[in-house]
Amino acid sequence: MTNSTSMPVVPDLAELSVALESAMQRTIAIARSGGDPKAPVPSLNWNASETGTHLMWALFAFAGAISGEPLNAGFPEVSWDNNMRDYLAVINDQALSASGERSMEDVAEGLEQAYEALKKVIASSPNLEAAVPTSWYGPDQTRTVGTLLALSVTETLVHGWDMARAFKIDGEFTVEEARAAFPTVMSQMLPILVNPNLPDGFKASYEIRIHEATPFVLRIADGKAVAEPAGEPVDCIITMNPRYGLLTGFRRVPLWKGIIGGHTMAAGDKPWLAFKFQKIFMSA
């Protein structure tokens, strides 16, 4: 599995801070909106409380990894078969099992504490391109500080949106919030989520253009993907709205619907490859 720490899209720390603040405030308010903690979340196998609890643990893990105080929940050792998605799924299940049932107020308070930990990290002005251990993605895995802070934003945006849908209330996030983090997350995380069942010899290259963000390229060959700065020729160019793109990346909406609806556009020598894009990568 790819363990590269090069960053074709380095996020802006100030923009991440602003996006995280608004995302956390909204998500904590959603948790305190009076919804049923056992309300099922569309598209997930979790209820609202479990979704919020997962988010809390993820944020604590990101903050701990960056600060050099990794989260140690004492979970049993998980077998590794070079499949990050399945490995992470077991870690997530163990975290939820260890947490037990939580009220939505418990969730809100946990999110507040996790946000305080992240604010301390941001206030320290960390090196966004420094690699830190991220054992929940697999043995010896690392990600950059910028990636984990960007993930803090995208996880909060999407899981806040998830809980809002469970409660049937408004949880929409803004294009600006998504733009601050999504390009970094997409370029850094997709290379470790390549579908192991791609056809032999499959090759493709995509330039990803997220509105008003730094473009980047994903090259797929021999069952691996590499992210690199834009500039060299590619097979397919995908241009997307950052908000819709984030929901697409988290498998909340299909890419083809975005193309038909005008939220996403495909161009280049092989624009039809856009319809294969989601099948190349697994969701986490």
Side-chain angles (χ1 to χ4, degrees):
M1 184 171 71
T2 302
N3 195 27
S4 171
T5 54
S6 62
M7 295 189 74
V9 184
V10 180
D12 181 278
L13 186 61
E15 291 179 1
L16 286 178
S17 179
V18 170
L20 184 62
E21 179 180 12
S22 57
M24 288 300 305
Q25 288 177 348
R26 180 173 54 252
T27 299
I28 291 168
I30 290 169
R32 288 195 166 117
S33 65
D36 180 359
K38 294 185 178 180
V41 174
S43 304
L44 295 180
N45 293 323
W46 296 335
N47 61 34
S49 174
E50 290 167 334
T51 300
T53 300
H54 159 75
L55 174 60
M56 176 197 72
W57 282 121
L59 298 180
F60 273 128
F62 299 152
I66 297 169
S67 65
E69 300 176 359
L71 181 67
N72 182 7
F75 301 141
E77 186 173 339
V78 179
S79 62
W80 171 249
D81 62 358
N82 206 39
N83 185 319
M84 189 273 271
R85 181 186 64 175
D86 293 347
Y87 185 87
L88 182 59
V90 175
I91 296 291
N92 286 336
D93 288 344
Q94 289 182 347
L96 290 177
S97 178
S99 299
E101 291 189 12
R102 287 175 175 256
S103 69
M104 293 312 300
E105 179 58 29
D106 291 336
V107 169
E109 291 178 1
L111 290 174
E112 287 174 332
Q113 293 167 11
Y115 180 40
E116 287 301 316
L118 284 166
K119 284 198 293 186
K120 290 180 181 178
V121 167
I122 292 172
S124 71
S125 300
N127 177 3
L128 298 183
E129 297 184 70
V132 295
T134 51
S135 59
W136 58 89
Y137 293 139
D140 303 319
Q141 282 296 302
T142 64
R143 292 290 98 185
T144 63
V145 169
T147 301
L148 297 186
L149 288 176
L151 279 165
S152 298
V153 174
T154 57
E155 289 277 330
T156 303
L157 293 176
V158 174
H159 289 314
W161 186 82
D162 286 334
M163 288 191 291
R165 287 207 300 164
F167 296 156
K168 296 180 172 57
I169 61 175
D170 179 44
E172 298 297 332
F173 54 88
T174 69
V175 166
E176 291 75 19
E177 289 169 333
R179 183 187 299 121
F182 178 51
T184 297
V185 169
M186 192 177 188
S187 61
Q188 289 292 291
M189 297 305 293
L190 287 185
I192 61 174
L193 285 166
V194 177
N195 185 344
N197 298 315
L198 289 177
D200 291 342
F202 177 83
K203 291 184 179 181
S205 56
Y206 297 86
E207 181 173 324
I208 308 299
R209 298 178 181 177
I210 298 169
H211 294 169
E212 298 184 31
T214 303
F216 61 92
V217 167
L218 288 166
R219 296 190 185 277
I220 301 95
D222 301 321
K224 297 180 181 179
V226 176
E228 60 187 45
E232 296 298 320
V234 296
D235 298 321
C236 179
I237 299 169
I238 299 178
T239 303
M240 60 178 66
N241 170 295
R243 182 186 174 280
Y244 199 91
L246 178 56
L247 293 174
T248 299
F250 274 71
R251 295 297 202 275
R252 298 312 191 264
V253 294
L255 181 61
W256 66 263
K257 187 174 289 187
I259 294 173
I260 292 174
H263 303 288
T264 303
M265 294 182 289
D269 293 337
K270 300 178 180 179
W272 59 87
L273 284 176
F275 291 97
K276 293 181 178 289
F277 188 79
Q278 279 191 312
K279 295 180 180 179
I280 296 173
F281 303 100
M282 302 180 292
S283 60

